[in-house]
Amino acid sequence: MPSSERQSRIALVGFMGSGKTTVGRALAGLLGFPFIDLDAAIENAAGKRISAIFAEEGEGAFRVRETEALRSLASRGEGEVLACGGGVVVSETNRRLLAAEFIAVWLDVPFGELMDRLSAEAERAARPLLNSERYREEAEALFRAREPLYREASRFTYRWKANESPADAASAIAEMLASASES
């Protein structure tokens, strides 16, 4: 693929609650690209919510759908900012797709901050992997297991800064990407 096509496809990865959707929308606006939420694309294709896919078909079936959606988006050849689900990196196929077809940026947010963002009951209810009494311990185990996978799948890491707005984060990421394309 011509490098300009790859340069125009940006994928944000990171743990649930890291701000991929919020920062992704802001980044897409700054860059003049369409914004795509991978989970929303999966829901549209399936005709049901992610939580229903998990409940009715299991996580394995969801991951198959996730890979199909990512592969489809990677083949489009259009500029976009893609917010991936937190577990997209679990699949080696997905990590390879992200590395080969996108400029993947890991939104690296400390675990304590993530738990602050995800601790509300309504937030936990919307996320199938947090529907447990032991959600904090389970989330930390997932977070620790996925950290090296985010690193492997990503070309860049954006480390969250306290009190930074999503717009500020998007601007910093846009600057990081612009600097990299100039070198």
Side-chain angles (χ1 to χ4, degrees):
M1 137 178 51
S3 64
S4 62
E5 281 184 24
R6 183 171 185 262
Q7 297 294 331
S8 65
R9 284 202 303 260
I10 299 158
L12 301 180
V13 300
F15 201 70
M16 59 186 111
S18 63
K20 298 175 300 286
T21 298
T22 307
V23 172
R25 286 185 204 285
L27 182 61
L30 281 174
L31 299 176
F33 290 164
F35 171 77
I36 300 167
D37 184 287
L38 186 59
D39 283 349
I42 294 165
E43 288 179 341
N44 289 338
K48 53 184 155 182
R49 307 276 308 165
I50 299 292
S51 56
I53 296 170
F54 266 74
E56 296 166 13
E57 303 173 30
E59 184 177 356
F62 169 76
R63 297 294 173 204
V64 168
R65 290 176 185 266
E66 185 176 55
T67 297
E68 290 169 355
L70 184 62
R71 188 174 283 126
S72 174
L73 291 167
S75 70
R76 292 176 2 147
E78 300 172 8
E80 62 197 14
V81 174
L82 176 67
C84 297
V88 72
V89 296
V90 171
S91 160
E92 183 177 346
T93 299
N94 291 353
R95 291 192 306 275
R96 277 194 245 127
L97 271 168
L98 287 164
E101 303 296 334
F102 296 86
I103 295 177
V105 179
W106 173 25
L107 300 185
D108 183 12
V109 178
F111 182 74
E113 173 65 22
L114 293 169
M115 286 299 94
D116 288 348
R117 295 177 186 184
L118 296 170
S119 64
E121 190 173 325
E123 186 67 29
R124 289 190 5 247
R127 298 175 188 270
L129 295 178
L130 293 182
N131 283 328
S132 160
E133 290 295 317
R134 298 184 54 234
Y135 78 91
R136 188 175 183 90
E137 293 84 15
E138 292 169 8
E140 186 166 14
L142 274 176
F143 177 79
R144 300 293 173 222
R146 290 179 180 174
E147 271 185 310
L149 303 177
Y150 294 131
R151 193 171 289 110
E152 177 186 332
S154 302
R155 184 168 165 197
F156 296 99
T157 298
Y158 172 74
R159 179 74 172 173
W160 176 82
K161 295 162 192 67
N163 302 314
E164 186 171 50
S165 73
D168 291 339
S171 292
I173 292 167
E175 288 176 25
M176 181 186 339
L177 296 173
S179 294
S181 71
E182 292 170 2
S183 44

